[in-house]
Amino acid sequence: MATRFVWTCSYMGCAWFDVYPDKGEKFSVELRRELSDYERSTLNKRTDPEREIIPTIGMLRRESRGNIPIPKEIVRDFNAWRLADWETQIAKMRSQPERYGEILAEDPLFRRPKPVGAVHFENMKDTDHGYFWVVDVAPAEPTLAPAELAA
């Protein structure tokens, strides 16, 4: 995996990552995990969450220049990196039960990350809706993590 990813921050149901592709320039992506009731209450009255936000949950999108698709290889590498990072963190916590306590397999805080897809937007001509999301890469079906295969 030649592409590098760096988590930069998380806030209000989103996480942002810097992407350093093996070819091309660095760019940033956003991964929306949810749209909370609180966040929904803060939206501008002109925002249509069903059209503008909900379709991006579980999908990567460029932080700026959102009309440029994210290549499927970047999405594949991001999913692999995210799973490997999760496995590393879980192994670290399991190796230190005196610090982190017992980690139960059914604990929702420790679920393996679901694979994500990617979207970009396209302008809608001759309408007042502005833009719509186009799916570049659909989320893959989850597979068992290597640690789960051994169990």
Side-chain angles (χ1 to χ4, degrees):
M1 190 170 26
T3 301
R4 259 186 343 110
F5 302 92
V6 177
W7 171 86
T8 57
C9 71
S10 294
Y11 180 69
M12 298 266 288
C14 295
W16 288 267
F17 304 88
D18 286 338
V19 180
Y20 298 88
D22 56 343
K23 297 176 185 163
E25 294 182 23
K26 169 198 164 241
F27 61 96
S28 297
V29 295
E30 173 187 300
L31 174 59
R32 176 169 286 282
R33 295 182 309 272
E34 65 180 358
L35 175 63
S36 69
D37 290 339
Y38 171 74
E39 186 177 5
R40 193 180 284 264
S41 75
T42 67
L43 295 174
N44 180 309
K45 290 184 185 347
R46 294 181 58 193
T47 301
D48 178 0
E50 300 302 320
R51 185 177 63 81
E52 297 176 35
I53 299 172
I54 302 297
T56 68
I57 293 175
M59 305 293 261
L60 288 177
R61 68 177 191 85
R62 288 181 187 258
E63 186 175 13
S64 62
R65 299 188 317 179
N67 60 328
I68 300 173
I70 298 173
K72 64 182 176 189
E73 296 80 17
I74 298 285
V75 177
R76 179 200 61 218
D77 290 352
F78 179 81
N79 283 322
W81 168 79
R82 204 162 151 236
L83 179 59
D85 184 60
W86 174 82
E87 288 175 332
T88 299
Q89 297 303 323
I90 292 294
K92 176 182 176 182
M93 289 186 281
R94 283 196 172 130
S95 73
Q96 300 176 51
E98 68 285 352
R99 184 175 192 177
Y100 298 104
E102 182 182 1
I103 297 174
L104 303 174
E106 62 273 6
D107 189 327
L109 292 175
F110 299 105
R111 283 193 193 127
R112 68 191 302 267
K114 292 181 180 178
V116 301
V119 294
H120 76 278
F121 69 82
E122 288 189 5
N123 291 324
M124 295 176 71
K125 294 181 171 55
D126 302 322
T127 71
D128 60 352
H129 296 296
Y131 62 89
F132 64 98
W133 294 106
V134 175
V135 175
D136 301 313
V137 180
E141 287 298 313
T143 57
L144 290 177
E148 293 171 314
L149 290 172

